[in-house]
Amino acid sequence: MSTPTPENPDNKPNDSASTDSTQSNPEIVDSSRVESTSERDATDDLDKAPATDVSLISGGSKPRRYKKDNPSFFMQRGYQILLVLGLIAAFLLVMVYQTLFGRITQPAQKVTIEQGDTYYGLLPQWQQQIPLFSASIAKLYIKSQVDAPLHAGIYPLPENPTIAEALHIFGQGAKVAMVKVQVIEGKTASDLYQNLRDNEGIVKEVLVEGADNASIAKALDLAGILPESVTTSDDPIVNYNLEGWFTPDTYYYGEGATDTQVLTDLYKRQQQALTEAWENRAPDLPYDSPYQALIMASIIEKETSVADERPLVSAVFNNRLKQSMRLQTDPTIIYGMGSRYDGNIRRKDIDEKTGYNTYQIDGLPPTPISLPSPASIEATLHPADSEALYFVATGTGGHKFTNSLSEHNKAVQEYLKAMREKKSQTPPGE
C-alpha cells in the first residue's frame, strides 16, 4: 500500500493505474467518448446530406427528404394532367353543343336564300348570336351531314332555331320546285304585278281580280310608307301608288309562295337599300326625305342604263333643282300618260300639264316613275362633282353632258345628225 503524497491525492484516481488498466483491458471503453463520437458522426451526415425544401424531424431522427422518383409525386402530376384534360374535353363538348344546338333568339320567320349563297356563308350570323359558336365545328358538321347544295328559295324557320334545325330545313330545298321571279330595272310596279299574276307558281292573295293601288297597299300593310299627298290624291295614278318600293332583281321562290311573300320581300330589300343610302348621303342635297330621293332615283333609272353615267345624271338634276330649273325629263311625261303612251312623245304631250310632266311642273313628280335599282339610289344621294345642267343622247351610246344651253343645242344637233346617218345606212324594210 502506497503512502498518499501531495502529487497523488487520495480523492483522485491514479493516472498511471488508469492508463495501465485501460491498456490491459481493451474491452473497457469510455462511454462519454463514444457518445460524443456518435453525435459528431450524425452531425457530419447531416452536413453532407443535400438540402431539401421541407425537413420533417421527429426527436433525434434524420430529416425526411421528398424525392421526385417517389410514386406519390407521379400520382399527383397525373391527377393534375387528368384534370386539365377533363376541363378541355368539357369545354369542347360545350362548344360542340352550343354550335349545333345553341338557339338564335328570333321569332318564326321566312328566310330568303339567294342564288349562289352557300351554307358556309350563313355561319357568320350564328357566330355573332350564339356564345361559344365554332365555325370550324359547324363546317365539319355540314361537310359530314349535308349532301345537297344550298338551293335558292324562301324557307320557313321556326322560332329560336338551332343550326342543326336550320340546316335540315335548308336541305329540303332540293326537293322543292323553285319559281323564278324576274324584276327588271326601270320597269314599273304595274309590270311587276302583271308578272306575278302570270306566274303559275305564285299563289295569288293580293293581286286578285279588281285589285287597285289602294287595296294592294292596304293588303300588304304598306299604306303607312306613303306621304299624305299620295294617299289623298284624286289622281288614280297617284292614289296609294307603291311605285318605286320594290327592288328589281331575279329571285327564286319555292313553288307555292304567295304574292304577299314576294312583294313584302322585295319591299324590305328596297326599304333597307334606301335607308342605308339616306343615312350616308352626301351633304347639301335638295331632298327633304328618303321618299323624294326614291323619286329621283326612279328618274335616273329611266334616263340611263350606263352604270358610269348615273352619278352624272344625278348631278344634272341636283344642279337643276338647286337653281329652281324644271327637270324636263321625257320619262316623266310617259309615266303620266299611262296607257295612252304609244311609243311616241308629241308636242301636245309635252304641252299637256299632268301631275308627272316635268316640262310643266316645278320640282319632282308626286311618286317614283319606275322601280330603281340600289345603284340608282346610291347615285341619287352621291351625285358626281359636276356643274352640268344638260345631257342628251349621242346616238352612238351614252350621253353628252354640257354646262350651258348653247352647248346643249349643239349636242342636240350632233345627235340628230348621227341619227340621220344611221337611218341612211339602214337597208329598206328593216
Side-chain angles (χ1 to χ4, degrees), residues 177-179 196 198-204 253-258:
M178 307 309 294
V179 176
L196 295 178
D198 295 340
N199 195 321
E200 296 180 357
I202 301 296
V203 176
K204 314 306 181 290
Y253 296 93
E255 187 173 357
T258 66

Side-chain angles (χ1 to χ4, degrees), residues 64 84 137:
R64 294 176 59 190
V84 172
I137 294 175

Side-chain angles (χ1 to χ4, degrees), residues 141-365:
Y141 179 81
I142 292 171
K143 189 174 183 179
S144 62
Q145 300 296 322
V146 179
D147 298 327
L150 185 60
H151 288 259
I154 297 180
Y155 297 85
L157 290 184
E159 182 180 3
N160 303 332
T162 67
I163 186 174
E165 293 171 344
L167 291 175
H168 175 73
I169 293 171
F170 293 146
Q172 305 303 308
K175 304 175 184 178
V176 179
M178 307 309 294
V179 176
K180 180 180 180 180
V181 176
Q182 188 172 27
V183 187
I184 300 175
E185 298 173 354
K187 290 293 186 179
T188 65
S190 295
D191 295 328
L192 170 60
Y193 297 158
Q194 192 58 48
N195 185 332
L196 295 178
R197 288 189 182 100
D198 295 340
N199 195 321
E200 296 180 357
I202 301 296
V203 176
K204 314 306 181 290
E205 291 181 342
V206 175
L207 304 175
V208 294
E209 186 176 355
D212 58 8
N213 287 340
S215 64
I216 293 172
K218 292 176 181 178
L220 295 173
D221 197 24
L222 298 180
I225 66 173
L226 301 173
E228 185 178 356
S229 59
V230 174
T231 58
T232 60
S233 175
D234 294 332
D235 187 335
I237 298 178
V238 177
N239 187 257
Y240 281 96
N241 192 344
L242 291 175
E243 190 66 77
W245 277 115
F246 306 107
T247 297
D249 207 338
T250 299
Y251 304 92
Y252 293 87
Y253 296 93
E255 187 173 357
T258 66
D259 55 2
T260 304
Q261 294 171 354
V262 175
L263 292 172
T264 301
D265 180 42
L266 270 58
Y267 160 72
K268 288 181 178 179
R269 295 171 186 273
Q270 193 75 314
Q271 192 270 342
Q272 181 179 358
L274 179 61
T275 299
E276 291 178 356
W278 179 260
E279 291 176 349
N280 297 286
R281 66 189 182 278
D284 195 29
L285 296 176
Y287 313 115
D288 297 330
S289 67
Y291 189 71
Q292 289 186 352
L294 187 66
I295 294 173
M296 178 53 71
S298 72
I299 296 174
I300 294 173
E301 191 69 64
K302 293 296 293 185
E303 282 288 5
T304 182
S305 59
V306 181
D308 293 343
E309 287 188 349
R310 288 187 178 114
L312 282 169
V313 173
S314 175
V316 169
F317 291 136
N318 180 57
N319 295 335
R320 281 178 163 262
L321 288 173
K322 287 183 176 180
Q323 296 185 31
S324 299
M325 296 176 64
R326 288 178 173 171
L327 296 180
Q328 295 183 334
T329 167
D330 292 351
T332 61
I333 297 177
I334 295 171
Y335 193 85
M337 292 175 65
S339 59
R340 294 188 291 114
Y341 178 66
D342 60 2
N344 295 303
I345 298 178
R346 302 170 179 83
R347 170 51 60 181
K348 66 176 183 177
D349 300 323
I350 296 175
D351 295 337
E352 181 185 11
K353 188 169 184 177
T354 70
Y356 289 89
N357 187 348
T358 53
Y359 283 86
Q360 302 298 325
I361 65 171
D362 298 327
L364 297 166

